[in-house]
Amino acid sequence: MVRKLLSPWRTARTWYGVVHGVLDLFVGTVTFSLVVTLLALSASLLIVFPLALPFVWLLFGCADLAGRIERSRAAALLGVHLPAPHAPFTSRGWFGRLGQRATSGSRWREIAYCLLLLPTGAIKLVVLTAVWSGSFALLILPLYIGSLPGDSAEFGLFELSGPDGALAGSLTGAFGLLLVAPWATVALSTLGGLIVRALLGPSPEVALRAQVTELEASRTAAEASRTAAVDSAEAERRRIERDLHDGAQQRLVGLAMDLGIIREKFDQDPDRARQLVTNAHQEAKAALAELRDLVRGFHPAILEDRGLDAALSAVVARCPIPVQLDIAVEPRPPASVESAAYFVVAEALTNVTKHAQATAARVSIARHGTLLAIDISDNGRGGATLTGGTGLRGLDERVRGLDGWMRVLSPPGGPTSVLVELPCGS
């Protein structure tokens, strides 16, 4: 209970609230003076309408600037983060935009805030001065009460004198500093935040419209991610079918044919049958090796057991060009992110070997908070694009399927860098 009562002393919000309350009076003096002057000039010149237009425009411009400053000040000192409350302009000309400003409720609320800031700032400053300075003055009353006339301190309705009075004042001051002053500051900060939200924040209709727009954008992004994931899975399925058809399936068909010939030649030509058995044995081992490589392409066991560093070290070791590998991914990312990073690097290095005419490459992977950053670069001929038919489009689909981000920097003549970011929040 005591800890909760003293909690304002441990939070920065209390002291930021003191700073905000002290500044309110000075900022309010400036905004009040500007807005009142411009309002008076605009109203007095309405009879000569064209002469009033510059002052009306200046009025709304100053209020808009003050609103921006106050929203920033509220975000920094009160923790109140507000978007701009104004609807976008639909008129192109300055006169049309001026009319839209004049009919906008949010613009007039900004002007009201500029006028209200001075009196509320004065009240807040008086209260803050009274609770903080008054409590401190009472706390140290025993130190200077003997210097006061009559050895007594008058506080309007009551008077403190003598050692007992000084002690009572000191205890009251301690109570004020420990509880009254900080909680009064918190209350004033809360009140200031409510005023800022009411006058400088968006109206409920605008906030609801912004929320609907944000939800629509999120849904569109989610649909795009799902589409990318489906496209990536379909491309992977076609690749597997192609690899099976061009590799292991052809070897197995040849093995079946050899076994059929062996069965026919086994009694008639044993030497020929023995040679065919040897060939069939080699074909069977080659087919097993290709199937093993294909399965490794799904999800290598070393990746699951030992992580990206060990799995990519094996990929780099098989690469025909020198590759520098730098990995720092602690803590370990989720399995789906590790798998995507593995295939991105493996496919990118395959592209480098086939198309880039490079003599060296570098792979850098690092985790920064909830992001896994990947950079694959080479000193090849450059000119790579996501639509160039070099396999980068499939990588982009795989990355977007995980709500990631991918860019290819590859000017003609090189070098080439493939930059990837994958979300890997725990």
Side-chain angles (χ1 to χ4, degrees), residues 241-320:
E241 289 181 348
R242 184 176 63 252
D243 291 344
L244 284 171
H245 182 272
D246 296 342
Q249 180 178 336
Q250 297 297 327
R251 291 188 181 277
L252 291 174
V253 170
L255 176 61
M257 294 177 62
D258 287 345
L259 291 174
I261 296 173
I262 290 170
R263 185 174 59 183
E264 295 177 358
K265 298 290 187 180
F266 194 77
D267 295 329
Q268 301 174 3
D269 191 353
D271 294 335
R272 175 63 176 164
R274 189 176 298 109
Q275 182 181 359
L276 289 174
V277 168
T278 302
N279 293 339
H281 183 245
Q282 296 296 329
E283 287 294 320
K285 291 196 296 183
L288 286 174
E290 289 194 3
L291 286 174
R292 192 181 304 112
D293 291 339
L294 184 62
V295 172
R296 186 183 296 118
F298 295 155
H299 191 85
I302 191 174
L303 177 61
E304 184 174 349
D305 295 339
R306 299 173 56 189
L308 271 176
D309 196 351
L312 291 179
S313 296
V315 173
V316 168
R318 295 195 300 267
C319 193

Side-chain angles (χ1 to χ4, degrees), residues 25-368:
L25 178 63
F26 302 101
V27 177
T29 301
V30 176
T31 59
F32 184 89
S33 301
L34 278 174
V35 169
V36 165
T37 302
L38 292 172
L39 272 174
L41 287 171
S42 301
S44 62
L45 292 174
L46 279 178
I47 300 176
V48 190
F49 185 70
L51 294 180
L53 292 180
F55 296 100
V56 173
W57 182 88
L58 199 58
L59 170 65
F60 287 111
C62 290
D64 180 72
L65 177 61
R68 293 173 185 268
I69 294 173
E70 285 303 291
R71 280 189 289 271
S72 299
R73 194 164 67 97
L77 299 177
L78 300 180
V80 178
H81 300 274
L82 297 173
H86 311 306
F89 289 113
T90 56
S91 302
R92 293 186 177 181
W94 72 270
F95 187 76
R97 291 189 174 187
L98 180 60
Q100 191 171 347
R101 284 189 174 98
T103 56
S104 172
S106 60
R107 304 279 179 179
W108 286 106
R109 288 199 301 273
E110 278 183 340
I111 293 175
Y113 180 86
C114 292
L115 296 175
L116 189 62
L117 187 58
L118 177 60
T120 57
I123 295 173
K124 288 172 70 173
L125 184 61
V126 169
V127 173
L128 288 173
T129 303
V131 294
W132 286 102
S133 301
S135 297
F136 183 74
L138 284 172
L139 178 67
I140 63 173
L141 182 61
L143 300 179
Y144 63 88
I145 191 171
S147 303
L148 298 177
D151 295 337
S152 63
E154 295 184 3
F155 294 94
L157 299 178
F158 60 94
E159 179 180 349
L160 298 175
S161 61
D164 294 337
L167 179 60
S170 182
L171 292 176
T172 305
F175 177 79
L177 281 178
L178 290 176
L179 294 177
V180 177
W183 280 108
T185 303
V186 171
L188 290 175
S189 299
T190 303
L191 178 61
L194 292 176
I195 294 175
V196 170
R197 284 191 178 93
L199 297 180
L200 298 183
S203 63
E205 294 79 8
V206 174
L208 180 61
R209 194 180 303 117
Q211 186 177 5
V212 170
T213 303
E214 183 179 355
L215 290 175
E216 290 179 349
S218 300
R219 185 181 64 182
T220 302
E223 291 177 353
S225 298
R226 287 195 295 269
T227 302
V230 171
D231 293 342
S232 177
E234 181 65 19
E236 191 70 12
R237 183 188 65 80
R238 290 194 298 266
R239 182 189 69 81
I240 293 169
E241 289 181 348
R242 184 176 63 252
D243 291 344
L244 284 171
H245 182 272
D246 296 342
Q249 180 178 336
Q250 297 297 327
R251 291 188 181 277
L252 291 174
V253 170
L255 176 61
M257 294 177 62
D258 287 345
L259 291 174
I261 296 173
I262 290 170
R263 185 174 59 183
E264 295 177 358
K265 298 290 187 180
F266 194 77
D267 295 329
Q268 301 174 3
D269 191 353
D271 294 335
R272 175 63 176 164
R274 189 176 298 109
Q275 182 181 359
L276 289 174
V277 168
T278 302
N279 293 339
H281 183 245
Q282 296 296 329
E283 287 294 320
K285 291 196 296 183
L288 286 174
E290 289 194 3
L291 286 174
R292 192 181 304 112
D293 291 339
L294 184 62
V295 172
R296 186 183 296 118
F298 295 155
H299 191 85
I302 191 174
L303 177 61
E304 184 174 349
D305 295 339
R306 299 173 56 189
L308 271 176
D309 196 351
L312 291 179
S313 296
V315 173
V316 168
R318 295 195 300 267
C319 193
I321 63 172
V323 179
Q324 180 181 347
L325 180 63
D326 299 317
I327 298 183
V329 291
E330 294 298 333
R332 188 171 174 178
S336 59
V337 177
E338 277 192 334
S339 179
Y342 172 84
F343 286 115
V344 165
V345 174
E347 182 66 22
L349 290 179
T350 300
N351 291 335
V352 171
T353 303
K354 290 182 178 180
H355 307 287
Q357 300 176 5
T359 58
R362 177 175 181 175
V363 177
S364 300
I365 304 178
R367 178 168 181 171
H368 302 282

